[in-house]
Amino acid sequence: MIRKLDKRLSDIFIYGFVIVSIIEIIAEFFNDVQLIWIFKPMLIPLLLAFYVVKSKKVNLVFVLSLLFSWIANLIFISKETNDILLGSFFFLVYRSLIIYLVFKLVKLPTKIPLILGSIPFLFIYTTVCFLSFEVMGNSILVFIVHSLFIVFLGGYSLGSFIITPSRSNLYLFVSTMLFAVSQFVFVLKFYSRYDYLLHSVAMLLFVVAQFYLTKFILIKDSPKTKYEFVTSVKEL
């Protein structure tokens, strides 16, 4: 009975997350500030509720990271320069907590997979930073810090997936890739007239990336994880 109730609740929360995400993406496309203020604050709480109901063992660090992500996204709504910098700080804390969790939950036998996995991310972000250096001004420093975090996380996730191609590592890699692409889309806004279209694309990438990251944490926090040595991608 309890399991059926948890299943229904988790379905309600994840369907709610999908519906709210679609509305938020459309609101970003049309730059409907009123809709954005209504629906964007609902995204993380719905995902958090889904995680808490679905999880067999709630990870408090992940819950805290989602809280910082939620605060950052609320601040980003204003789109003022000072607010963006403040939001970037909260998002940096969020990213730090995620890296801590990944480092704790995923073990690499050597540093070689991390180094090799970081190369494509480092190349991409070096190119992006070079192209956007003059346009972004002082904000480039914040962008570089975020880029270094993504390069590390991207290298770690790619390296772990190559060494152990499990379902959880695939979710982590996909999530990291989507977060990386969303930052690339952010830079594209400086060179495009389709500002709001790129806002909606970035939001789509963010919600999907956040969902897959949550799926990764759910698998890793499950007691079954200790038996998960090598799970083929064919299981998906």
Side-chain angles (χ1 to χ4, degrees), residues 34-53:
Q34 186 175 359
L35 278 181
I36 292 173
W37 271 108
I38 293 172
F39 288 97
K40 193 170 186 178
M42 298 169 59
L43 286 172
I44 297 299
L46 283 169
L47 190 62
L48 177 58
F50 165 75
Y51 167 73
V52 171
V53 172

Side-chain angles (χ1 to χ4, degrees), residues 32 36-37 40-43 48 50 59 67 75 90 96 103 110 135 144 147-148 163 203 217 233:
D32 192 322
I36 292 173
W37 271 108
K40 193 170 186 178
M42 298 169 59
L43 286 172
L48 177 58
F50 165 75
N59 191 314
L67 177 61
I75 296 173
F90 279 97
S96 303
F103 196 72
T110 65
V135 180
I144 289 174
S147 299
L148 291 175
I163 296 297
M203 181 53 60
I217 296 294
V233 178

Side-chain angles (χ1 to χ4, degrees), residues 97-117:
L97 292 172
I98 294 301
I99 289 178
Y100 166 77
L101 278 177
V102 171
F103 196 72
K104 184 179 179 181
L105 297 172
V106 181
K107 303 298 182 183
L108 289 179
T110 65
K111 294 181 180 179
I112 295 177
L114 169 62
I115 295 172
L116 293 177

